[in-house]
Amino acid sequence: MSQVKADYFYQKPKVKNKTKKLCKEIQRRRNLAFGQSNLISYEIGRKYLKVGEVAPTFGGLLNAIAFIDMEGNIFKSASHDRAAKHKRGNIFSEQEGTEAIDATGFIKHLRG
């Protein structure tokens, strides 16, 4: 990880703290729905914090679940390294981002 990327997110520690809470909530909901699941964590990227499952043997993120930008907007994962266009929620809302998560710990689809 380059120092520029690290400095970018360390300027706002509230984003990281709220992301940790969101990861714990996703983990809790997945454990309730599916039993014991993989650990949910995040990685620092260029523009986003990438939230995903940690593979026990791989050491890195197995798959991306969501992306969170500096303003706290939550985006569904379009692929492993790309966020979808539209935001699903915000970690600084009253629900602390849980409005973007369904009962099984996945990011909600947009309904039109």
Side-chain angles (χ1 to χ4, degrees):
M1 171 175 58
S2 72
Q3 190 61 33
V4 174
K5 286 195 299 187
D7 289 344
Y8 182 68
F9 279 102
Y10 290 128
Q11 291 170 359
K12 293 191 178 183
K14 290 182 182 180
V15 174
K16 288 176 54 180
N17 292 336
K18 294 282 187 171
T19 301
K20 286 179 188 177
K21 285 184 181 180
L22 184 68
C23 289
K24 287 180 184 178
E25 181 62 22
I26 292 171
Q27 180 74 46
R28 187 187 72 78
R29 290 185 185 194
R30 286 196 175 191
N31 286 342
L32 287 174
F34 305 113
Q36 190 66 25
S37 64
N38 288 337
L39 177 68
I40 306 296
S41 187
Y42 68 91
E43 286 182 351
I44 297 174
R46 234 176 359 128
K47 292 171 54 177
Y48 302 104
L49 291 175
K50 182 177 12 174
V51 177
E53 289 182 306
V54 177
T57 57
F58 181 60
L61 291 184
L62 181 63
N63 61 356
I65 298 170
F67 291 88
I68 301 174
D69 66 7
M70 282 299 288
E71 287 78 38
N73 295 319
I74 302 169
F75 296 91
K76 184 173 175 63
S77 171
S79 68
H80 183 69
D81 58 351
R82 177 178 282 167
K85 281 186 178 181
H86 305 287
K87 66 180 181 176
R88 301 320 202 254
N90 193 296
I91 58 176
F92 296 118
S93 67
E94 289 181 13
Q95 296 90 7
E96 294 186 334
T98 57
E99 72 273 8
I101 308 169
D102 66 8
T104 58
F106 292 95
I107 304 299
K108 292 180 180 178
H109 293 282
L110 290 178
R111 303 276 190 244

